[in-house]
Amino acid sequence: MSLDKFISTLDQLEKDALDSFESAADADAVEETRVRFLGAKKGALKDVQKMMGGIDPSDRKAAGMRLNAFKTKLQESFEASQSRLGGGEASGIDPTFDATLPGIRPNVGHIHPITQTINHLMEIMGRMGFEAAEGPEVEDPWHNFVALNIPEDHPARDPLDNFYLATASATQAGSEGSQLLRSQTSTVQIRVMEQHQPPIRVISLGRVYRPDAPDATHYPMFHQMEGLYVDKHVTMANLKTVLRVFATNYLGGDVQIRFRPSFFPFTEPSVEVDFLWNDTWIEFGGAGMVDPAVFEAVGYDPEKVSGFAFGLGVERLCMRRHGITDIRDLYSGDLRFLRQF
Ligand code: DAH
């Protein structure tokens, strides 16, 4: 192809392209023109570049210069038409931004199933007049053991069964022993009674710690719901009614409950509490009538007041209600699990 022919072809194309950009009435028309002339696949520019191959080598330089001018012209005309129509970068809108693409969803969290359960339990017990009370997770032996009628030589105080905190020396910690992560929420019974006179109707929901190896039903940290009711003439019938109303509300349906004789140092008599679930009796915790020794420890007169107490496993309740079979799932931090609740 001769240089003259090449140049006249470009002249014509350039005129067509500029006319087309200048007369484009909207962004679609501009885009259509851009594709027709500058498009990477089938644009006229592509054909022109191919034509360069047929130019006599001595004319290549002149042809190249014309081609560059052609490209610049078209590019300028394209941009001018964009700003004329108020689109493109001139308007401050990034032309590569596609407003129709789905956005980036903010990662909104939600309340952990155990916290949800705690809120639910507080709500149910609140309707029966039980107020929520709290106590510290780092406890002294008085509240975790002594006031609960658990003497120094009791196996529940074994270092292998508790997370004792290291202290400078055993003597410094006092004859009662060193502080520990509480192993039960029964500690809060003592704290509440030390500060309030009967009648008392409280629950306490919180973490407890025991050095158990994790498996499907054990974890070194778990939660309990403690209940305490102290007044005149409180009986085991009251205890059973409260637990039955609670179980029925939490698990749904009319849940049967069963007491089995047991022993806890801080209750007399003591029972294990089972709920009937899918034709199986499942143990949810312990309960009983507050032991006179406990009343004496907090300065109550056991001749004048009586009360019941109970302690239920929160994970166990949550797992039964939701059909969770492994307690470790609750604490794995795996969002695929947690998002289900
Ligand atoms: N503290 C007991 C435990 O952790 C549970 C318990 C049993 C709590 C009987 C009570 C009770 O208040 O009366 O195993």
Side-chain angles (χ1 to χ4, degrees):
M1 174 183 261
S2 75
L3 181 60
D4 283 353
K5 177 100 202 305
F6 181 73
I7 288 179
S8 66
T9 307
L10 258 62
D11 288 348
Q12 186 58 48
L13 272 174
E14 190 173 289
K15 188 176 173 305
D16 292 349
L18 266 49
D19 282 352
S20 187
F21 277 130
E22 277 157 26
S23 63
D26 55 27
D28 283 350
V30 171
E31 176 62 7
E32 188 266 326
T33 306
R34 187 193 66 77
V35 170
R36 181 147 52 95
F37 292 96
L38 296 166
K41 281 199 185 126
K42 290 189 184 143
L45 180 60
K46 199 88 208 245
D47 299 335
V48 172
Q49 276 162 338
K50 272 197 207 125
M51 285 177 209
M52 280 288 285
I55 302 282
D56 190 274
S58 59
D59 290 334
R60 285 259 170 88
K61 193 167 174 211
M65 280 168 67
R66 179 65 189 96
L67 178 61
N68 282 338
F70 172 83
K71 280 200 274 192
T72 311
K73 263 277 168 59
L74 263 60
Q75 187 63 32
E76 282 171 3
S77 183
F78 165 57
E79 283 165 16
S81 65
Q82 277 192 316
S83 48
R84 175 172 55 84
L85 291 167
E89 285 178 89
S91 68
I93 296 170
D94 176 357
T96 63
F97 176 74
D98 182 350
T100 64
L101 285 174
I104 298 168
R105 214 179 265 259
N107 218 347
V108 181
H110 74 294
I111 295 175
H112 189 277
I114 286 298
T115 311
Q116 287 180 34
T117 304
I118 287 174
N119 292 341
H120 191 178
L121 300 181
M122 283 202 289
E123 194 258 321
I124 293 172
M125 295 306 293
R127 277 190 263 145
M128 286 191 275
F130 286 80
E131 274 178 63
E134 280 190 41
E137 289 179 23
V138 173
E139 263 297 4
D140 51 51
W142 168 258
H143 292 95
N144 202 88
F145 300 123
V146 183
L148 287 163
N149 199 29
I150 304 174
E152 188 97 53
D153 55 0
H154 193 281
R157 297 179 65 161
D158 195 302
L160 292 175
D161 291 330
N162 293 281
F163 285 111
Y164 285 102
L165 304 183
T167 48
S169 77
T171 37
Q172 221 176 29
S175 57
E176 310 282 22
S178 52
Q179 290 198 309
L180 72 161
L181 297 180
R182 68 179 177 194
S183 61
Q184 50 186 353
T185 47
S186 305
T187 54
V188 185
Q189 290 184 32
I190 304 301
R191 290 189 173 273
V192 169
M193 288 191 284
E194 281 174 338
Q195 272 165 29
H196 301 275
Q197 289 302 309
I200 284 178
R201 211 185 317 180
V202 292
I203 50 165
S204 185
L205 283 140
R207 297 191 180 102
V208 299
Y209 302 85
R210 291 178 197 176
D212 291 330
D215 63 23
T217 54
H218 294 88
Y219 207 75
M221 182 282 304
F222 59 101
H223 296 73
Q224 289 184 330
M225 174 167 74
E226 192 80 16
L228 175 69
Y229 191 163
V230 184
D231 204 343
K232 291 183 181 124
H233 315 301
V234 177
T235 69
M236 272 192 108
N238 300 139
L239 170 63
K240 199 160 191 180
T241 303
V242 165
L243 288 175
R244 175 141 187 216
V245 170
F246 162 74
T248 298
N249 271 276
Y250 182 68
L251 296 172
D254 187 11
V255 178
Q256 300 293 306
I257 83 165
R258 176 174 83 174
F259 282 175
R260 276 180 294 119
S262 185
F263 174 79
F264 297 102
F266 35 90
T267 44
E268 182 59 38
S270 304
V271 294
E272 307 276 349
V273 183
D274 298 341
F275 298 159
L276 189 60
W277 181 273
N278 293 341
D279 294 330
T280 328
W281 289 104
I282 311 227
E283 187 195 320
F284 279 87
M289 301 307 291
V290 179
D291 194 290
V294 173
F295 283 144
E296 272 160 16
V298 297
Y300 284 7
D301 182 349
E303 296 300 327
K304 297 209 172 109
V305 292
S306 60
F308 67 70
F310 61 85
L312 306 178
V314 173
E315 277 78 1
R316 198 167 279 196
L317 288 163
C318 171
M319 287 165 73
R320 280 294 146 193
R321 190 163 197 272
H322 295 295
I324 299 167
T325 50
D326 194 323
I327 189 174
R328 291 167 296 191
D329 286 337
L330 288 166
Y331 301 115
S332 64
D334 189 338
L335 292 179
R336 292 169 304 176
F337 172 78
L338 293 173
R339 283 204 179 104
Q340 301 174 84
F341 302 95

